[in-house]
Amino acid sequence: MIYVYREKQLASRLNSPEADVLTPSNFDSSKISAYDAIAFGCPAMGAEVLEEAEFEPMWNECEGSLSGVKIALFGSYGWGDGEWMRTWEESAGNAGAILACDSVMANEEPDDEAKTACRNLGQTLA
């Protein structure tokens, strides 16, 4: 899941962030410059890696265009310790992306703390 924030000045006048919700199949590096900030969300799969069928190919294609872009990362995991998120954060940093806030991880289902952290993540990007 990708949340992309745009038209920051208009959104602030309306006191509401403007966000588009896209799937990995509907997003690529050609769309990055159209947005002020991007929240990338992906669960850990297999041996704590990004989802390999759609998300990882999209992420790999976008990496070269993330330098200076304000982003946030969020996702869930089932059995590991969050290694996939640390690897993902490192990848984003190596690409020159600006991590706008702490990444949000949820073990299995998001609990109240994770839900609050996700709302805060969205507010930070907006």
Side-chain angles (χ1 to χ4, degrees):
M1 192 64 62
I2 302 132
Y3 292 83
V4 283
Y5 295 83
R6 60 185 168 80
E7 300 174 11
K8 193 178 294 182
Q9 291 178 342
L10 174 63
S12 67
R13 284 195 300 251
L14 297 173
N15 198 25
S16 170
E18 205 42 53
D20 295 332
V21 180
L22 305 170
T23 62
S25 62
N26 294 325
F27 191 79
D28 61 41
S29 62
S30 70
K31 296 181 179 174
I32 290 173
S33 65
Y35 297 99
D36 293 324
I38 304 168
F40 291 98
C42 182
M45 304 296 281
E48 288 216 48
V49 296
L50 296 174
E51 186 279 321
E52 297 165 307
E54 279 193 303
F55 193 91
E56 186 179 37
M58 179 275 309
W59 174 259
N60 291 341
E61 193 272 331
C62 288
E63 271 185 295
S65 300
L66 291 175
S67 183
V69 176
K70 185 170 143 180
I71 70 166
L73 307 175
F74 67 97
S76 61
Y77 64 101
W79 55 269
D81 69 351
E83 178 184 355
W84 111 102
M85 184 62 75
R86 292 188 299 277
T87 302
W88 192 10
E89 289 170 335
E90 182 179 340
S91 173
N94 290 340
I98 300 165
L99 288 172
C101 59
D102 290 338
S103 299
V104 177
M105 293 190 299
N107 187 287
E108 301 293 346
E109 294 286 322
D111 57 14
D112 289 341
E113 183 179 332
K115 290 175 185 177
T116 298
C118 280
R119 282 190 289 276
N120 292 340
L121 179 152
Q123 290 172 350
T124 297
L125 292 181

